[in-house]
Amino acid sequence: MVALLTPHDVTYTVCMLGIWHAAGIMLIIEAHFPPPLCKEICEESSAAAAISTSTHASKFSTVANCRTLVLDDGWPAQLEQGAVHANLPHASPEDTCLLMMTSGTTGRPKTIAGSNFFTHFGFRAKHEYTTAYEDSREGIQVMFVRSEEHTSE
């Protein structure tokens, strides 16, 4: 389980793909979450690592058993210097790859788990049937997919 709190830019996308490539589960943490909520969510989810920028890295400093990788400007060159090569497990469509939180408008945010299939199919449906706009806060937090509509290819 890897908590991710970076700006929603290319860094976010690269980190998301890297977590999934390693067959990990991404735990989405938003910038507006206060440190106590970050700690609670990460500890309840047993996050082993967090990826953040220096702006928000302190939100993970008190999370038990969670190491934080800080990515700021120039992070690609820093990672190349300490490149690690590993044999990674293969993920199946049924494996969980994503934990996302509801908005919390009705109380404490609730966790939604998404499988590889759910995430792929949800992203695809969202981009085919909705219009993206500048500064959209929806991201991937709102994806509802009816699995019975899926047909095997």
Side-chain angles (χ1 to χ4, degrees):
M1 181 75 61
V2 180
L4 180 60
L5 172 52
T6 65
H8 294 192
D9 58 12
V10 69
T11 299
Y12 190 89
T13 305
V14 169
C15 290
M16 176 179 66
L17 294 173
I19 293 166
W20 291 340
H21 180 71
I25 300 172
M26 181 176 77
L27 175 60
I28 299 171
I29 304 292
E30 294 292 345
H32 66 274
F33 288 1
L37 181 59
C38 289
K39 176 180 171 64
E40 184 179 344
I41 291 169
C42 289
E43 288 182 354
E44 284 182 5
S45 304
S46 299
I51 302 173
S52 183
T53 59
S54 56
T55 304
H56 296 288
S58 64
K59 292 183 178 185
F60 302 102
S61 64
T62 62
V63 176
N65 303 313
C66 182
R67 298 178 64 185
T68 303
L69 173 63
V70 178
L71 299 180
D72 284 320
D73 293 338
W75 65 263
Q78 292 172 355
L79 290 180
E80 282 181 9
Q81 292 173 1
V84 175
H85 301 283
N87 291 325
L88 301 172
H90 294 278
S92 72
E94 300 81 28
D95 289 343
T96 299
C97 71
L98 176 71
L99 291 183
M100 53 194 144
M101 308 303 291
T102 62
S103 66
T105 55
T106 61
R108 185 178 183 279
K110 295 160 192 68
T111 305
I112 302 169
S115 66
N116 287 304
F117 170 77
F118 168 85
T119 303
H120 169 76
F121 193 68
F123 278 141
R124 186 173 165 193
K126 185 173 182 86
H127 291 288
E128 286 180 15
Y129 300 111
T130 63
T131 304
Y133 55 92
E134 186 68 28
D135 198 32
S136 173
R137 294 285 305 155
E138 285 183 359
I140 55 176
Q141 277 75 352
V142 183
M143 288 190 299
F144 298 100
V145 179
R146 295 181 59 196
S147 60
E148 64 267 15
E149 292 179 5
H150 172 69
T151 57
S152 297
E153 297 181 76

